[in-house]
Amino acid sequence: MASLKTILVLIPLLPLLAAVVAGLLRKQVGRAGAHWVTILGVAASFFLSAWVLYLQVYGNLGIQNVSVYTWMVADGITFEVGFLIDHLSALMMTVVTFVSFMVHIYTIGYMAEDPGYQRFFSYIALFTFSMLMLVMSNNFLQLFFGWEAVGLVSYLLIGFWFKRESAIFAGLKAFLVNRVGDFGFLLGIAAVVYLFGSLDYSEVFAQAPDLSGKTVSLIPGFDWQWITVICICLFIGAMGKSAQAPLHVWLPDSMEGPTPISALIHAATMVTAGIFMVARMSPLFELSDAALSFVMLIGAVTAFSMGLVGIVQNDIKRVIAYSTLSQLGYMTVALGVSAYSAAIFHLMTHAFFKALLFLGAGSVIIALHHQQDMRFMGGLRKQMPVTWLTAWVGTLALIGFPFLSGFYSKDIIIEAVHASSRFGSGVAYWAVLLGVFVTAFYSFRLLYLTFHGKPRYTVDVGAGHHPPDGILQHEPKESPLVVTVPLVLLAIPSIVIGYLTVGPVLFGGWLSDSITVLPQNDTLAVVGEHFHGAAAMAMHAVQTAPFWLMLAGFVLATFIYMIRPSMADTLQQKMPRLHRVLENKFYVDELYQKLFVSNTISLGTGLWKKADAGLIDGWLVNGSARLMDNLAARVRVWQSGYLFHYAFAMIVGLIGILAIWVMLK
């Protein structure tokens, strides 16, 4: 146990130490030292995580609840640092560290000319540490620490280019929106402490069934189940962190950060934290059908609506960002129908192909001198063959092409929703089913506009350092090996990981040690009755609705963007209102601006002018000064300077005091 404990401590500690060295000892280690120390730290963390996963799968390690350090006991509640290692946490640790490892290598090429090179490496290593503390925690306090830490570092990374006003705004937006969700999350944890008197997962989960039937009157006349209140509060935290509608608005704006962090945030860290948390809390959520219906419907709205917005985006990174929102919606729907294993499985497969797509987009951005608008791309297939091939792999995995990883995870979710009878499951089913068509359409739109067709840029050697859109200083070329190698390494699991793991993870009870599902809610068991192996599932795909919807999306995108390119503008002109609504992202940002931001600014301005400047400064501070000035002006006339006047005043005063004394006596 001692050696295992040491390994578990080292897994998050190595990225933390690497972040400290790269950030605080920049002059001593230099640029090369910064990337070497962080890459080696994260690489070591990955190999140790993979070893723990191996022990879990093949070494019969079992569940390990390890207490590392107890720093306080108050009123019987223990505040400690500890690790809960089971199949769920071991899987998450490995995925997080592997994707982070690839991103670290990629960053050498992408950030080569950036003056904040060392600072960036420090931040992403710190980001990895924060996520590891979150997924490895065995108690709510450490979970909250990791939860807030990833939020803080994401603020630093999104606003990394702090001289850009848009980056400052995006970072602040991400920070504030997440604070809204985190407030709900904190209320949920407070309710857990109040009702269970413990922060430890195992103690809380053991007592959870006893809470069934206990109610609280939050609104007079309406009784709520305590377990429903706790679960909804916890999920509000997940809505912020995993960017579920209506707390999704920060995620597309996070594209203002450098591309490597876009890949890290969207693929393996931060946005997956909410999905992981709900899966970890399955013993609580299973006790509340109302909370699960709420989770499912929120996910359904996000999955479908955000996919629609992705169709009209022209920024290559924003298209992938809206794709992330949509796929997170799929995971959330899976959680809502009690298919927690399917949600985690899609989280894993999505981490690989989404990181691949983001890093591929970054490779294109490098080649085009940081041009991100797809309207000025095209024809890059010949100049960038590796990026093109890996982009095809990522796209096919994303749309759910048979045999690729995304196919297994997405189709299982759709089948699980279909098998559910929970309130709202019908709406959710149509949302995720139609989402397949939408995903295929915007994915191939991105692929065609970027790599196929005629180039929509011109090369002008004398264009200067900052040429206008559509003009490059030299021909685009393939990115260096430090960029393309991570693409290839991410493409491999994007192809094979689903085929290899779908059986044991979803139908082999692999996550049964960490996830609780009541028999009446076990939708995966219903789906498993028709599962006869990964190959048979892929072969059967041609008989299913998702396959034909995916094919329809592919055909339509091919027709519009390859055969009849002018048709896109024609459709836009014929449906201006729909295009305007999608382009403005359903006006959610504008709604928030009007309801909250402008009113908050007005309130702040009013408090400043009326309360601060008017009441406090005008009346209390300046008013008291004026009062004393007026009083002094009146008293001053009594100061004549004649001694007999003062003597007379003293005699009158003495007589007055004697008179009062006699009357009181």
Side-chain angles (χ1 to χ4, degrees), residues 156-193:
L156 297 174
L157 284 163
I158 294 168
F160 183 79
W161 287 321
F162 54 82
K163 292 184 180 179
R164 295 183 185 175
E165 191 172 339
S166 58
I168 298 170
F169 178 79
L172 186 60
K173 188 175 182 179
F175 190 80
L176 291 175
V177 173
N178 272 276
R179 296 295 72 73
V180 174
D182 292 352
F183 180 67
F185 189 58
L186 193 58
L187 288 176
I189 294 175
V192 166
V193 175

Side-chain angles (χ1 to χ4, degrees), residues 121-425:
F121 272 101
S122 176
Y123 286 173
I124 57 177
L126 187 61
F127 204 27
T128 308
F129 157 75
S130 304
M131 190 66 188
L132 286 170
M133 289 297 287
L134 190 156
V135 300
M136 295 173 68
S137 64
N138 69 347
N139 61 86
F140 284 91
L141 182 69
Q142 188 175 324
L143 174 71
F144 188 71
F145 165 77
W147 194 268
E148 292 301 308
V150 293
L152 173 63
V153 184
S154 70
Y155 168 74
L156 297 174
L157 284 163
I158 294 168
F160 183 79
W161 287 321
F162 54 82
K163 292 184 180 179
R164 295 183 185 175
E165 191 172 339
S166 58
I168 298 170
F169 178 79
L172 186 60
K173 188 175 182 179
F175 190 80
L176 291 175
V177 173
N178 272 276
R179 296 295 72 73
V180 174
D182 292 352
F183 180 67
F185 189 58
L186 193 58
L187 288 176
I189 294 175
V192 166
V193 175
Y194 171 71
L195 292 165
F196 298 105
S198 177
L199 287 165
D200 188 81
Y201 290 162
S202 56
E203 293 181 16
V204 171
F205 296 162
Q207 298 178 49
D210 300 335
L211 199 62
S212 295
K214 293 185 178 179
T215 60
V216 59
S217 183
L218 297 175
I219 302 171
F222 294 92
D223 289 336
W224 287 67
Q225 296 279 339
W226 260 118
I227 195 69
T228 300
V229 173
I230 291 173
C231 290
I232 289 178
C233 285
L234 291 175
F235 181 67
I236 289 171
M239 286 170 64
K241 202 66 72 185
S242 293
Q244 295 297 291
L247 300 181
H248 67 282
V249 293
W250 67 270
L251 193 65
D253 287 352
S254 69
M255 297 300 98
E256 290 295 332
T259 300
I261 197 53
S262 300
L264 201 53
I265 288 177
H266 288 243
T269 60
M270 189 154 174
V271 295
T272 60
I275 308 300
F276 165 81
M277 184 273 293
V278 176
R280 175 62 81 196
M281 302 300 151
S282 60
L284 300 178
F285 279 84
E286 279 297 284
L287 300 173
S288 175
D289 281 339
L292 287 173
S293 285
F294 178 70
V295 171
M296 176 179 57
L297 290 171
I298 291 290
V301 170
T302 308
F304 186 64
S305 62
M306 295 301 105
L308 290 176
V309 176
I311 292 173
V312 301
Q313 298 297 311
N314 293 314
D315 186 304
I316 187 171
K317 286 174 64 177
R318 283 185 177 263
V319 176
I320 306 173
Y322 279 102
S323 163
T324 300
L325 284 169
S326 182
Q327 297 307 305
L328 287 167
Y330 274 85
M331 299 176 208
T332 305
V333 169
L335 296 170
V337 297
S338 298
Y340 306 98
S341 299
I344 295 299
F345 186 58
H346 194 49
L347 185 158
M348 176 186 67
T349 60
H350 175 264
F352 297 121
F353 62 71
K354 186 51 58 73
L356 172 60
L357 286 170
F358 264 115
L359 298 187
S363 178
V364 171
I365 293 168
I366 294 170
L368 298 180
H369 306 287
H370 295 276
Q371 174 61 260
Q372 295 182 195
D373 196 326
M374 295 186 298
R375 291 172 295 184
F376 303 104
M377 298 180 184
L380 295 173
R381 174 173 61 88
K382 294 180 180 178
Q383 291 98 332
M384 307 180 71
V386 178
T387 304
W388 170 67
L389 282 171
T390 53
W392 262 96
V393 170
T395 299
L396 292 174
L398 171 61
I399 67 171
F401 192 80
F403 288 102
L404 273 73
S405 60
F407 161 74
Y408 294 101
S409 55
K410 186 182 285 187
D411 270 38
I412 292 293
I413 289 174
I414 294 170
E415 290 300 315
V417 179
H418 186 59
S420 176
S421 57
R422 181 161 287 134
F423 175 78
S425 59

